[in-house]
Amino acid sequence: MASRFAEAKTRGLQGPGLAAPDAVAGCAKHFCGYGAVLAGREYAPSDVSGQAVRDVYLPPFAAAVRAGVATIMPSLNALNGVPMTSNATLLDGWLRGRAGFDGLVISDYGAVRELIRHGVAADVAEAAALAIRAGCDIDMMGYSYVDHLSAAVERGLCTVADIDRSVRRVLRFKERLGLFDDPYRRCRSKGRTAGRSSHRPLAREAARRSIVLLTNRGDTLPVAPGRQRIAVIGPLADAAREMTGSWAAKGDPAACVSVLAGLREAYPEAAITHCAGAAIRGGGQKETGRGIAEAVGLAEAADLVVLCVGEGATMNGEATSRSDLDLPGWQRDLAEAVLAAGTPVIAIVFCGRPPVIPWLAERASALVCAWMLGHEAGHALADVVSGAAAPSARLAMSWPRAMGQIPIYAGAAPNGRTFDPDDHFTSKYIDVANELLFPFGHGLATTRFTLGEPRVDGEVVAPGRPVAVRVAVSNEGPRSGTATVFLFIRDPIAAVVRPGLELRGVAK
């Protein structure tokens, strides 16, 4: 899956060629194993087996290289005891050697100097020499190369040839971008494109296709527009500025559509009431108590509640690790009070990571994962709630039932004592079920799809040859929709333990 993402992002950024005036040089990051940091805390070291590095963490970068990605950025952390900024085995050996990458390697912000803090360099000259020798061509915002490479050469820590190697790569990169022919063509912007009205239909469609319907008890969704009484509750209900998520670059928060605004437009005849009920994070107990009481009053007087909870924009992205993955602040208190009011609740969760919310999944009439949907968030969510658009997205990661299940993922390997309810000495928890809250690939439709028996071309799989697998998909429900079909394989007998499921294909 990550490999498919890497290929698509490379194509989208770079287009048919880097010399095109609107092409952007893509950067695959962070190389590699950054998702396995100790205790889930940003910048901490990763310690994973060589098997996992080969099978899990390197393939997406290999895919990006095959797609022609122009640059790659090492992660800020250390992998198996070696900081990635100076990891010659992976940067020069695997990346440039085995994977055949011929582009630029650019450090993360100030990462070269941070080799001193890692404890592998005594001073900046040593750090600069380690990075340049490992194949890190550009030192981003650290001034380690500019100010200290000459001293590193004088001290014999690196050679002029090491520097020339990277200089040639930089010059070749600029040539591929066409900068020698016209250095300033990418500076001649005709104005901002973010938020341009002609782009909003695409933004709305992208947002629609990112919404995951997690539960839908009693076919609560869709809710056809009419004269309903709808209470829109929660700190993210009327929070347009939060819809951009983190690292929004030129995204304009003022141009975002809130959930409240989107629902009012989609349900013109409905009596829509609103209150935040609580803050996204923190808030005084007395003030929050009044807000929750107001929310409960609105819920009791309504035919339907749309509850908007989750993380704010600044709680996602770099340096925002969390130790508790339940709803932040007083939001759980708010949600439980609203659920207790007895009115059907459509819960919309905004997040940048899987929250641990089994209590909400079990009690809400419908649960929707909205991630951070951008400028057209409110319209896209209203489209799905009202039935103007059918939900079609699937989860790109597994959602845990409890914190103790983490890390957990679809490709977990089997073990010699697979859980057996009749045998105490098997792999299990004594306080929670083994099963995930929602597995990788989960996502409901508002119609019913049936899959036929898969058909495989041929009975023998030959090395290096593609195999076609076909399956008939039938829509037996009342509405149109999009079915996403996953192809998983499993190698039952191998020299090393293989994953229980390996994703090998996706089709819509």
Side-chain angles (χ1 to χ4, degrees), residues 405-469:
Q405 292 180 312
I406 301 170
I408 196 159
Y409 41 90
N415 62 72
R417 295 195 174 187
T418 303
F419 173 63
D420 180 349
D422 298 323
D423 186 349
H424 177 74
F425 296 100
T426 53
S427 182
K428 66 179 185 303
Y429 303 98
I430 64 171
D431 58 345
V432 70
N434 282 12
E435 288 76 19
L436 295 162
L437 182 61
F438 301 112
F440 168 86
H442 175 77
L444 304 178
T446 50
T447 188
R448 294 187 304 278
F449 295 108
T450 301
L451 303 184
E453 287 294 320
R455 305 189 308 278
V456 182
D457 284 357
E459 297 182 0
V460 177
V461 177
R465 293 189 179 181
V467 176
V469 180

Side-chain angles (χ1 to χ4, degrees), residues 229-500:
R229 296 171 299 169
I230 302 175
V232 185
I233 296 170
L236 286 149
D238 191 22
R241 298 183 68 86
E242 304 293 341
M243 298 296 104
T244 61
S246 66
W247 292 108
K250 289 192 174 182
D252 183 4
C256 289
V257 179
S258 71
V259 180
L260 180 62
L263 290 173
R264 281 178 169 161
E265 185 173 324
Y267 293 84
E269 297 182 355
I272 295 179
T273 56
H274 162 256
C275 81
I280 295 175
R281 304 168 72 180
Q285 185 171 2
K286 184 178 292 186
E287 179 185 352
T288 302
R290 288 195 296 268
I292 291 176
E294 180 186 358
V296 170
L298 294 184
E300 290 175 340
D303 302 313
L304 176 71
V305 173
V306 178
L307 179 65
C308 302
V309 292
E311 297 177 328
T314 59
M315 297 181 69
N316 293 274
E318 188 173 357
T320 57
S321 303
R322 293 179 60 199
S323 64
D324 181 2
L325 299 184
D326 204 335
L327 296 181
W330 295 89
Q331 291 189 65
R332 178 165 181 172
D333 299 75
L334 168 66
E336 290 188 330
V338 169
L339 289 165
T343 303
V345 173
I346 298 170
I348 300 175
V349 179
F350 296 86
C351 53
R353 77 199 100 210
V356 180
I357 50 171
W359 57 272
L360 183 57
E362 291 162 2
R363 296 176 61 189
S365 301
L367 180 61
V368 175
C369 174
W371 309 114
M372 299 284 175
L373 294 175
H375 285 161
E376 287 291 306
H379 285 147
L381 284 162
D383 288 341
V384 168
V385 170
S386 67
S392 63
R394 303 292 193 96
L395 289 180
M397 59 199 78
S398 299
W399 282 36
R401 181 179 300 277
M403 289 283 289
Q405 292 180 312
I406 301 170
I408 196 159
Y409 41 90
N415 62 72
R417 295 195 174 187
T418 303
F419 173 63
D420 180 349
D422 298 323
D423 186 349
H424 177 74
F425 296 100
T426 53
S427 182
K428 66 179 185 303
Y429 303 98
I430 64 171
D431 58 345
V432 70
N434 282 12
E435 288 76 19
L436 295 162
L437 182 61
F438 301 112
F440 168 86
H442 175 77
L444 304 178
T446 50
T447 188
R448 294 187 304 278
F449 295 108
T450 301
L451 303 184
E453 287 294 320
R455 305 189 308 278
V456 182
D457 284 357
E459 297 182 0
V460 177
V461 177
R465 293 189 179 181
V467 176
V469 180
R470 295 177 173 83
V471 63
V473 183
S474 302
N475 183 354
E476 298 181 354
R479 302 178 184 88
S480 62
T482 300
T484 302
V485 182
F486 295 90
L487 172 65
F488 292 95
I489 66 167
R490 178 177 176 232
D491 186 355
I493 302 174
V496 297
V497 177
R498 298 300 304 167

Side-chain angles (χ1 to χ4, degrees), residues 30-38 41-48 57 73-87 90-91 108 111 114-115 118 120 318:
H30 292 84
F31 183 81
C32 76
Y34 202 29
V37 289
L38 181 68
R41 193 175 62 247
E42 190 87 30
Y43 314 127
S46 298
D47 195 347
V48 296
Y57 295 103
M73 181 179 292
S75 63
L76 287 162
N77 69 327
L79 175 64
N80 297 338
V82 182
M84 280 307 308
T85 306
S86 62
N87 196 322
L90 288 175
L91 291 179
D108 207 333
E114 290 175 9
L115 292 175
H118 281 287
V120 297
E318 188 173 357

Side-chain angles (χ1 to χ4, degrees), residues 185-205:
R185 65 170 148 183
R186 286 175 177 80
C187 302
R188 301 188 188 106
S189 173
K190 296 181 179 179
R192 290 181 58 177
T193 58
R196 186 179 290 173
S197 59
S198 61
H199 293 177
R200 296 193 79 98
L202 179 59
R204 186 167 180 166
E205 178 64 15

